[in-house]
């Protein structure tokens, strides 16, 4: 087996990660997580040391972070933070805040009184006309896209709203391009997937990233269980639901293709390997699972199953020179565990 | 962020506070009329209708320091006085109590169940008092809690859970009772419920037409770990753990800490009462444990006079001390105005006025007991 419970490194990280969805992301040579209002980074190259130097990202904004996602396009990688105030977009060294996108005021009217207005869920997509753009969701149920100008390397000043569809806060967004970490392949497509708190999933097609550029092509009815993390791979939606199920749906027909019993409760994060059809999921029930997906004729298999006692896992990320190692962090725990791939 | 967190936070922390106060009043053999007054005053203030109305309005969750200030005021809503150190310890116990209840909840409905159990237990405490006048207030809060949280969808419930756990992040205190009953490991980590069920490891595949194609079961780690390594404490979450009449819980032997091992020194956790090994026992050892927990009997080198929580303020006059309680520094934020409004609605009785004139402070109670 390529992974083993014993082939694991651990190191101390401080401060501890918060309990938000998908609280670990790989940006360039750094792994990043959120501690309440602060993004924190540590280099993957230092993972052999028992104590890591964690760099707290020096931001002028002190808003609660709901998503922390690295988005790559060609050679460029951005760190995107979705917060109570909107988006912060940082360069790949995470020293320059290159763009701040406030939450659109118009979206506030759709926010239920029991929710604050915040952004959550971030992905990068490429439209049919080749325009790269960041997509994000809000607690008002809206999804927006923010175009990146390839000529200037800058983001457009205002995001554009997708047509209204979701009636509850967005929990996750994903795309095939995000799942490949910005490595373009012919079969990627231009689809965006958005998910909401009621468990509904919407599939969109991007012709361009300007107003009217997105159209709804498919939707999956709400199941009551929100999708915590979503990826797109080979015309399939890979959706990790809060109750512990990882489900594969057809991108175009919305039909359920597979159901994986990943965890007993409260999945908190999922990452998909950029080049292999495998996923890693973690949960508040202390467990990590690495699964080969039943895609393209392959059979499902469990590559690793571990239990980190007394730790509510909150973030997982493929990392390492070949992206085969798996890093895991836990809520309120000052450690990172890295499961090394023996390949 | 959920705007529904504050009621759960205040109600559950408040009930934990009443549990601890009730136990301390009994342990100190405080005369029943005085105990009754303290408990009724605290409960009445905490569940005052106007205050409860403000509490249940959708709002951002307060910071820890802001919440501490509310409870500092609540604890001082009667004739009892606490030193800052005692208040620190009380607040730590309250925080760790509710934190473990949240962490050990395996489904979102349990947040509601824990809250209702807290309230029901407070009601049962009030029912034992000669003056039961605060009981109807509890009923009102129970109804509000049920109305607001019973039908919360999973996504909303989980957002609420995340908001609450964000509040408790980095609050790590070893509590002797929790260590002794296997709620915390020897390293101070809260022991979490088992991750295993029959569904985990099952892979089901479907054909393009939606028909079942096959099902396979994979071995998962959680199935092979002894269940005793996980949270197996028998009492329902929200139970009054400080109740002396409760049967002692002996935790199973666990290998857990040897497996996970500490990475950071144990002194990174605050420890309360570590020096007292026995929670149960007659006479001196139990008193010693509770004393350490609540600083009842301070060492000779300290200048505290005996009091339930070892109050620094030795003022002999029967009125509420006009000395300002040591200020609790907290950073200003957008909730300050709201906090101020909330505090104004808390009807804290001034011992110098009205019907409370002439009531002794706790020092006098101890002298008269």
């Amino acid at each position: 087996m390529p992974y083993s419970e014993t082939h694991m490194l651990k190191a101390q990280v401080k401060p501890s990660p918060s309990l938000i969805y998908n609280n670990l992301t790989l940006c360039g040579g750094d792994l990043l997580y959120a501690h309440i209002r602060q993004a924190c980074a540590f280099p993957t190259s230092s993972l052999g040391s028992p104590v890591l130097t964690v760099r707290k990202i020096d931001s002028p904004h002190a808003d609660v972070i709901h998503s922390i996602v690295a988005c790559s396009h060609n050679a460029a990688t951005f760190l995107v933070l979705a917060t109570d105030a909107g988006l912060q977009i940082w360069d790949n060294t995470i020293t320059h805040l290159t763009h701040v996108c406030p939450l659109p005021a118009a979206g506030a009217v759709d926010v239920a009184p029991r929710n604050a207005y915040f952004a959550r869920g971030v992905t990068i997509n490429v439209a049919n006309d080749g325009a790269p753009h960041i997509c994000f969701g809000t607690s008002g149920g809206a999804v927006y896209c923010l175009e990146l100008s390839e000529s200037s390397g800058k983001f457009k000043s205002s995001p554009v709203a997708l047509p209204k569809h979701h009636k509850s806060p967005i929990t996750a967004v994903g795309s095939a391009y995000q799942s490949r970490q910005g490595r373009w392949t012919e079969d990627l497509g231009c689809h965006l997937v958005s998910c909401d708190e009621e468990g509904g999933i919407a599939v969109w097609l991007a012709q361009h990233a300007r107003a009217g550029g997105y159209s709804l092509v498919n939707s999956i009815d709400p199941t009551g269980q929100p999708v915590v993390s979503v990826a797109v791979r080979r015309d399939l939606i890979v959706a990790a639901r809060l109750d512990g199920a990882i489900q594969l749906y057809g991108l175009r027909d919305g039909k359920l293709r597979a159901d994986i019993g990943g965890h007993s409760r409260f999945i908190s994060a999922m990452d998909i390997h950029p080049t292999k059809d495998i996923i890693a999921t973690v949960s508040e029930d202390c467990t990590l699972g690495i699964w080969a997906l039943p895609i393209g004729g392959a059979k499902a298999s469990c590559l690793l199953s571990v239990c980190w006692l007394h730790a509510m896992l909150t973030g997982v990320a493929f990392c390492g020179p070949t992206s085969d190692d798996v890093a895991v962090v836990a809520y309120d725990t000052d450690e990172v565990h890295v499961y090394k791939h023996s390949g | 962020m959920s705007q529904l967190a504050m009621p759960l936070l205040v109600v559950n922390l408040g009930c934990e506070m009443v549990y601890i106060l009730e136990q301390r009043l009994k342990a100190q053999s405080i005369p029943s009329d005085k105990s009754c007054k303290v408990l009724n005053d605290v409960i009445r203030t905490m569940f005052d209708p106007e205050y409860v109305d403000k509490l249940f309005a959708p709002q951002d969750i307060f910071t820890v320091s802001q919440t501490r200030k509310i409870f500092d005021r609540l604890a001082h809503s009667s004739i009892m006085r606490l030193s800052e150190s005692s208040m620190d310890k009380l607040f730590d116990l309250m925080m760790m109590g509710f934190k473990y209840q949240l962490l050990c909840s395996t489904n979102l409905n349990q947040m509601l169940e824990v809250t209702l159990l807290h309230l029901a237990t407070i009601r049962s405490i009030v029912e034992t008092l000669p003056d039961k006048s605060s009981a109807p207030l509890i009923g009102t809060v129970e109804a509000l809690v049920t109305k607001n949280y019973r039908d919360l969808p999973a996504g909303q419930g989980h957002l609420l859970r995340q908001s609450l756990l964000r509040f408790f992040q980095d609050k790590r205190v070893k509590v002797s009772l929790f260590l002794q009953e296997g709620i915390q490991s020897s390293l101070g980590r809260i022991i979490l419920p088992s991750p295993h069920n029959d569904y985990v490891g099952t892979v089901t595949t479907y054909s393009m037409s939606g028909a079942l194609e096959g099902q396979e079961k994979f071995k998962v780690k959680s199935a092979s770990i002894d269940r005793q390594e996980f949270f197996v404490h028998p009492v329902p979450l929200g139970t009054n753990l400080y109740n002396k009449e409760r049967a002692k819980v002996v935790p199973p032997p666990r290998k857990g800490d040897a497996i996970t091992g500490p990475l950071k020194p144990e002194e990174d956790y605050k420890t309360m009462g570590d020096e007292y090994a026995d929670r149960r026992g007659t006479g001196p050892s139990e008193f010693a444990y509770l004393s350490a927990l609540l600083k009842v009997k301070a060492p000779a080198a300290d200048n505290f006079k005996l009091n339930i929580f070892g109050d620094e303020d030795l003022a002999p006059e029967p009125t509420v001390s006009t000395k300002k309680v040591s200020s609790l520094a907290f950073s200003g934020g957008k909730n300050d105005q709201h906090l101020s409004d909330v505090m104004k609605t808390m009807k804290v009785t001034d011992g110098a006025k009205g019907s409370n004139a002439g009531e002794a402070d706790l020092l006098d109670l101890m002298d008269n007991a």
Side-chain angles (χ1 to χ4, degrees):
Chain A
M1 289 286 268
Y3 295 98
S4 158
E5 188 179 354
T6 53
H7 196 190
M8 184 264 281
L9 302 175
K10 56 169 104 167
Q12 190 181 94
V13 289
K14 224 171 177 166
S16 64
S18 296
L19 189 70
I20 58 173
Y21 299 147
N22 307 299
N23 194 10
L24 190 66
T25 192
L26 180 70
C27 184
D30 286 329
L31 282 164
L32 290 110
Y33 62 91
H35 171 78
I36 308 179
R37 298 165 195 273
Q38 181 116 61
C40 305
F42 56 92
T44 54
S45 56
S46 64
L47 279 170
S49 316
V51 180
L52 302 175
T53 303
V54 175
R55 178 166 64 95
K56 293 178 191 174
I57 307 309
D58 186 18
S59 172
H61 307 275
D63 305 300
V64 173
I65 297 170
H66 295 277
S67 298
I68 180 166
V69 180
C71 296
S72 298
H73 174 62
N74 293 336
T77 302
F78 305 95
L79 178 75
V80 185
L81 306 179
T83 74
D84 281 348
L87 292 195
Q88 296 174 31
I89 304 176
W90 295 76
D91 72 342
N92 69 335
T93 65
I94 319 147
T95 51
H96 299 106
L97 180 57
T98 61
H99 190 80
V100 173
C101 173
L103 282 169
V109 298
D110 297 318
V111 180
R114 56 176 181 240
N115 284 335
Y117 190 26
F118 57 89
R120 181 171 58 185
V122 175
T123 195
I124 191 165
N125 195 21
V126 176
N128 222 0
D129 68 352
H133 52 281
I134 301 281
C135 296
F136 65 97
T138 73
S139 56
V143 182
Y144 293 89
C145 66
L146 184 68
E147 190 176 350
L148 170 66
S149 163
E150 289 199 90
S151 53
S152 65
K154 292 192 166 127
F155 287 91
K156 296 276 169 78
S157 57
S158 300
V160 168
L162 273 61
K164 277 194 178 185
H165 171 76
H166 296 283
K167 296 183 178 61
S168 61
I170 301 300
T171 49
V173 291
S175 71
Y177 196 45
Q178 176 72 36
S179 302
R180 293 286 185 195
Q181 291 182 9
R183 298 167 213 196
W184 182 259
T185 62
E186 286 301 320
D187 62 343
L188 273 185
C190 309
H191 292 92
L192 173 78
V193 177
S194 58
C195 313
D196 63 44
E197 263 187 10
E198 290 172 357
I201 301 174
V203 181
W204 311 84
L205 184 64
Q207 294 296 346
H208 55 79
R210 303 176 301 281
Y214 266 90
S215 56
L216 183 73
V217 296
N218 196 6
S219 66
I220 296 165
D221 288 339
T223 63
Q225 287 296 325
V227 172
V228 156
S229 187
V230 70
V232 180
R233 178 64 57 88
R234 300 186 199 280
D235 268 10
L236 287 169
I237 300 167
V238 186
R241 291 194 184 268
L242 184 65
D243 61 357
I246 302 133
Q247 293 177 324
L248 275 64
Y249 295 90
L251 185 68
R252 296 171 205 283
D253 61 11
K255 290 209 166 106
L256 184 65
R257 299 278 200 272
D259 182 295
I260 301 171
H263 303 274
S264 62
R265 60 185 184 267
F266 305 149
I267 283 187
S268 48
M270 177 178 76
D271 195 18
I272 188 163
H273 194 283
T275 57
K276 299 175 187 171
D277 296 335
I278 63 175
I279 58 169
T281 56
V282 293
S283 159
E284 291 182 30
D285 74 359
C286 319
T287 59
L288 155 76
I290 303 177
W291 297 87
L293 295 172
I295 292 181
K299 285 198 71 173
S301 62
C302 181
L303 303 177
L304 181 68
S305 172
V306 299
C307 184
W308 180 349
L309 284 180
H310 320 321
M312 289 170 58
L313 308 187
T314 188
V316 65
F318 285 99
C319 59
T322 54
S323 301
D324 289 316
D325 299 338
V326 175
V328 184
V329 293
Y331 159 75
D332 203 28
T333 305
D334 298 335
E335 284 179 34
V336 56
H337 289 189
V338 180
Y339 293 88
K340 304 290 287 178
H341 185 267
S342 53
Chain B
M1 182 123 52
S2 175
Q3 305 243 297
L4 298 177
M6 278 307 292
L8 289 190
L9 194 64
V10 171
V11 170
N12 286 292
L13 289 178
C15 292
E16 288 287 314
M17 183 173 80
V18 173
Y19 288 175
I20 297 163
L21 292 180
E22 191 241 359
Q23 193 280 327
R24 290 306 304 135
L25 289 166
K26 278 184 183 164
Q28 287 290 304
S29 302
I30 299 298
S32 61
D33 58 332
K34 309 299 179 190
S35 294
C36 174
K37 177 163 176 53
V38 169
L39 291 174
N40 264 311
D41 283 349
V42 168
I43 293 169
R44 208 176 282 120
T45 307
M46 188 160 60
F47 296 143
D48 173 80
E50 200 183 332
Y51 172 64
V52 164
D53 263 346
K54 265 217 160 342
L55 190 63
F56 276 81
Q59 59 193 294
D60 286 346
I61 194 168
F62 286 2
T63 64
V64 173
S65 54
Q66 289 170 331
T67 307
R68 157 72 194 256
K69 192 163 176 147
I70 289 177
F71 284 101
D72 192 76
R73 185 120 186 210
L74 267 174
H76 290 95
S77 60
S78 185
I79 51 179
M80 181 181 67
R81 288 294 169 268
L82 305 176
S83 67
E84 190 164 339
S85 164
S86 295
M87 189 64 217
D88 282 346
K89 288 179 180 165
L90 173 62
F91 194 63
D92 280 347
L93 282 177
M94 291 156 57
M95 290 278 280
M96 290 308 295
F98 189 37
K99 182 176 183 178
Y100 112 77
Q101 290 152 12
L102 279 174
L103 290 178
C104 293
S105 295
T106 55
N107 64 70
L108 297 168
N109 287 334
Q110 274 187 288
M111 288 190 290
L112 173 62
E113 290 165 12
V114 165
T115 309
L116 291 177
L117 180 55
H118 268 129
L119 290 168
T121 310
I122 297 303
R123 183 205 295 282
S124 67
I125 290 172
V126 170
E127 294 295 334
T128 65
L129 303 176
D131 176 6
K132 303 178 198 339
S133 56
S134 56
L137 298 175
I138 301 170
T140 305
V141 176
E142 282 171 330
L144 277 170
V145 165
T146 304
K147 179 183 163 197
N148 279 275
Y149 300 102
R150 184 177 52 197
D151 295 319
L152 216 54
Q156 282 289 300
H158 198 249
L159 182 66
L160 174 58
R161 177 182 167 82
Q162 287 178 322
S163 301
L164 286 167
L165 287 174
R166 186 178 299 123
F167 179 88
F168 288 104
Q169 187 161 357
D170 299 328
K171 189 67 181 177
R172 304 174 207 169
V173 179
K174 281 185 185 176
V175 177
S176 294
L177 174 58
F178 293 0
L179 293 169
Q180 285 156 11
E181 295 210 356
I183 291 171
Q184 278 179 299
S185 73
S186 60
L187 300 174
R189 292 178 182 148
I190 290 175
I191 294 171
L192 299 177
S194 169
H196 187 65
N197 66 25
D198 289 339
Y199 171 64
V200 178
T202 307
V203 177
T204 310
T205 51
Y206 303 89
S207 68
M208 297 284 281
S209 63
L212 176 70
E213 249 181 11
Q215 195 171 76
E216 206 171 342
K217 181 83 175 180
F218 291 94
K219 273 179 67 173
V220 289
K221 178 68 181 182
S222 56
S224 62
I225 300 179
D226 186 346
R227 205 177 167 275
Q228 307 275 48
E229 295 293 333
F230 301 103
F231 178 74
V232 289
H233 199 267
V235 300
L237 298 173
T239 299
N240 183 1
L241 295 181
Y242 304 98
N243 183 356
K244 280 173 60 175
E245 286 151 33
R246 184 174 65 85
K248 180 181 176 181
V249 172
V250 178
R254 288 185 171 121
K255 291 185 284 197
D257 289 339
I259 296 168
T260 57
L263 255 193
K264 54 201 205 73
E266 282 197 25
E267 55 266 25
D268 283 1
Y269 278 89
K270 281 172 61 181
T271 304
M272 292 175 56
D274 261 1
E275 64 271 32
Y276 296 95
D278 296 327
R279 184 181 83 83
R280 294 285 183 185
T282 55
S285 66
E286 179 180 16
F287 181 76
Y289 163 80
L290 291 169
S291 299
L293 209 55
L294 299 167
K295 210 174 181 179
V296 172
K297 188 172 183 175
D302 286 1
N303 293 324
F304 297 127
K305 192 168 173 180
L306 268 179
N307 198 333
I308 283 188
F309 289 110
D311 197 335
E312 272 184 291
D313 184 358
L314 303 179
E317 59 272 6
T319 57
V320 170
S321 171
T322 54
K323 176 183 163 188
K324 191 176 174 182
V325 173
S326 303
S327 61
L328 301 167
F330 63 96
S331 55
K334 58 185 176 177
N335 265 331
D336 272 3
Q337 180 56 50
H338 190 82
L339 174 64
S340 172
D341 293 344
V342 165
M343 301 285 268
K344 279 178 200 161
T345 63
M346 290 173 63
K347 297 192 177 87
V348 176
T349 306
D350 182 338
K353 294 181 185 170
S355 60
N356 291 321
E359 283 289 353
D361 74 3
L362 202 56
L363 295 172
D364 289 337
L365 294 183
M366 295 304 295
D367 289 344
N368 294 335

